[in-house]
Amino acid sequence: MTVDMHKGKPVILFVDDEPAVLSSLSRQFRHQRDKWCMEFEGSPKSALQKAQEQHVDVVVSDMQMPGMNGLELISAMRRFAPDSTYIMLTGSSDLSTAMGAINDANVFRFYTKPCPADLLKEGIEAGLSASATATAANPVGVSEDYLPDINRNLGIAALDHLSLSVIVVDSAARVLLTNKSGGALLSQSDGLSMSVGEICRASTTAGSEQLHQLIQTAANDTAENEQASYVISIERPSQKRAYSILALPIAAPASEDSSQTATPLVALYVSDPENQPLPSAEAISRLFGLTRAEARIVHELVKGASMDEAADNAGVTVSTARTYLKQAFSKTDTKRQAELVKLVLTYPRLCTETNLPQSR
């Protein structure tokens, strides 16, 4: 029988192989001792043993440690402590590595070292809040601040099967969640990257301003403008073809405090023409029950063509192309071009042309 030695206080486990760092963390959070039970371990092995012996609410781990790095430690801990919340501290040189694998370990937050105490405290409290509401029902695909563990894992698993990169941000462009493809794309820093402040940025100042304006516009969307289409291209330093980015607002859970409004969230759907298998017009026709003519217009729009270009490429007049688009809206239960493009872009990778049912 396990005896509760913590009198109901949440347990925060700090893991770092540098004694000076653990000592600093102990001093920084000494005022939290009446609220938290804090444990400090100097090696991944001892931390793993500690987490096996008692329940840990939040684990704050360094990234680079001898014998086992932070991501490996978290992956091992999750086998027997799936309900714990995990936070990563990483040196700036490790940021790309961490971003590339962050979703594999389901890390709740990660911060670069040295991390201000107030910022880390905020992250720990957010982790405790998320853990405390683990049984709540929340939408899949929004910030990790809102998702309980099991729903977050299911949401990420679903996002990982999409045929493009997905990056969820708030109205200030702070990255809240990505699928595997999105995390890998950010880690490459070729056109899009994440700054130390977790802000999604382009490679140039002008590109970042354009991206942030797009996010702000989408976040403020009231869904009243059915012709709105939040799409931009972002150039890449590698000289590869530019990313196409579709930004759409997504529903965020309302706050329990009725005096506070829900934080606007925006999903960035990033298409990489260098590595992006788009469905053919035939596949679109079969997936969504469109005629070949309708699917041809939709296919051209998904490729980034304007309505005039789509009509010209399909060999029809612009008026006829618009009629086909309206019919596609009706059959797919969409109202805007951006919404229809998103629907097509986010078809699962498993839906290949070889295993689609034949249209009648």
Side-chain angles (χ1 to χ4, degrees), residues 90-133:
T90 173
S92 58
S93 62
D94 302 324
L95 187 58
S96 294
T97 301
M99 272 306 301
I102 207 70
N103 289 318
D104 290 333
N106 291 326
V107 175
F108 180 77
R109 292 276 180 87
F110 72 95
Y111 300 104
T112 53
K113 298 166 66 176
C115 178
D118 289 346
L119 183 60
L120 182 54
K121 176 176 176 289
E122 178 186 354
I124 293 173
E125 290 180 337
L128 290 172
S129 177
S131 179
T133 58

Side-chain angles (χ1 to χ4, degrees), residues 162-339:
L162 299 185
S163 61
L164 73 169
S165 300
V166 181
I167 303 169
V168 178
V169 298
D170 62 15
S171 58
R174 184 170 70 94
V175 177
L176 304 176
L177 179 131
T178 75
N179 62 356
K180 286 184 180 179
S181 177
L185 184 147
L186 288 174
S187 71
Q188 294 168 6
S189 297
D190 183 22
L192 288 177
S193 61
M194 192 176 74
S195 70
V196 173
E198 303 179 1
I199 303 300
C200 187
R201 297 187 183 280
S203 297
T204 65
T205 300
S208 292
E209 291 176 352
Q210 185 183 21
L211 175 65
H212 294 169
Q213 181 60 53
L214 177 81
I215 292 170
Q216 285 281 349
T217 303
N220 295 329
D221 183 18
T222 60
E224 295 177 354
N225 182 6
E226 294 187 357
Q227 299 302 316
S229 181
Y230 307 126
V231 181
I232 61 171
S233 294
I234 293 292
E235 298 297 326
R236 303 163 68 176
S238 65
Q239 302 302 311
K240 293 180 180 179
R241 286 183 291 175
Y243 292 131
S244 295
I245 302 179
L246 170 67
L248 290 175
I250 59 177
S255 169
E256 293 182 0
D257 183 351
S258 59
S259 65
Q260 298 182 1
T261 57
T263 301
L265 302 179
V266 175
L268 302 177
Y269 298 88
V270 186
S271 174
D272 180 358
E274 301 287 345
N275 185 30
Q276 181 58 55
L278 295 176
S280 66
E282 179 65 19
I284 292 173
S285 174
R286 293 179 180 179
L287 278 170
F288 304 108
L290 306 182
T291 66
R292 292 184 178 181
E294 294 162 355
R296 179 70 186 276
I297 295 300
V298 173
H299 182 248
E300 292 295 331
L301 295 174
V302 169
K303 291 194 299 181
S306 66
M307 181 58 71
D308 288 351
E309 292 169 337
D312 185 57
N313 292 340
V316 299
T317 66
V318 173
S319 176
T320 298
R322 292 188 184 280
T323 298
Y324 288 152
L325 182 60
K326 289 180 180 178
Q327 292 169 349
F329 284 158
S330 176
K331 292 180 179 180
T332 58
D333 195 26
T334 56
K335 295 182 179 180
R336 297 186 287 180
Q337 182 176 320
E339 187 180 1

Side-chain angles (χ1 to χ4, degrees), residues 23 44 65 86 130 170 295 342 353:
S23 178
M65 296 182 290
Y86 298 90
D170 62 15
K342 171 198 168 185
E353 294 181 43

